[in-house]
Amino acid sequence: QVHFVESGGGLVQPGGSLRLSCVVSGTDLSVYAMGWYRQAPGKQRELVAGIIPDISTNYADSVKGRFTISKYYNTVYLQMNSLKPEDTAIYYCNSLAADRPWGRGTQVTVQS
C-alpha cells in the first residue's frame, strides 16, 4: 500500500509563496502520475495540478501561471507563488486517478 505524507503548509500573506512537498512511500510502486488536490471549508476536494513525469503537467485555471508541480524520485512538489486568500485550503497529494488512500494533508492559509 502507498502512503502520502504532505508538508510545507503554513500561514502566508497574500502575494506570498509556499513550497509543498509530498513524500510517497510504501510497497505500491505503480503510482506514477501524481496530482495535488485541495479542499477548502465547505467545498469539494479539487485537483489543482497534475504531473505525468517527462510527459506533461496540467493546472486548474485558478492556479495556472502561479503554481508549478514537479516530481523528483519519490517526492512531489508544489511551488505556489502569488498566493491569494482563495487558495486557503488543506492540500493533499494522490495519484492522478485519486484512487489511493488519502494522507492527512497540509494546511495553507492565506490572509493579511
Side-chain angles (χ1 to χ4, degrees):
Q1 187 173 0
V2 69
H3 301 278
F4 305 118
V5 179
E6 302 93 347
S7 64
L11 173 64
V12 64
Q13 292 186 339
S17 298
L18 285 173
R19 189 192 196 201
L20 306 184
S21 299
C22 166
V23 176
V24 183
S25 63
T27 58
D28 182 351
L29 301 180
S30 65
V31 176
Y32 183 65
M34 291 289 297
W36 276 99
Y37 302 77
R38 69 185 180 188
Q39 186 167 20
K43 295 188 177 181
Q44 287 190 331
R45 191 173 291 165
E46 62 172 345
L47 175 68
V48 295
I51 183 168
I52 303 175
D54 299 324
I55 297 178
S56 68
T57 57
N58 61 85
Y59 301 91
D61 288 343
S62 59
V63 306
K64 202 170 292 183
R66 300 188 297 120
F67 290 11
T68 303
I69 188 171
S70 60
K71 187 172 184 283
Y72 185 73
Y73 288 102
N74 69 328
T75 303
V76 186
Y77 301 97
L78 186 68
Q79 178 67 43
M80 306 188 297
N81 299 326
S82 303
L83 283 161
K84 304 176 180 181
E86 51 263 44
D87 295 318
T88 295
I90 301 175
Y91 284 71
Y92 305 85
C93 64
N94 206 316
S95 69
L96 210 50
D99 58 357
R100 301 299 198 275
W102 294 93
R104 297 180 65 178
T106 185
Q107 175 71 50
V108 172
T109 303
V110 185
Q111 68 180 38
S112 301

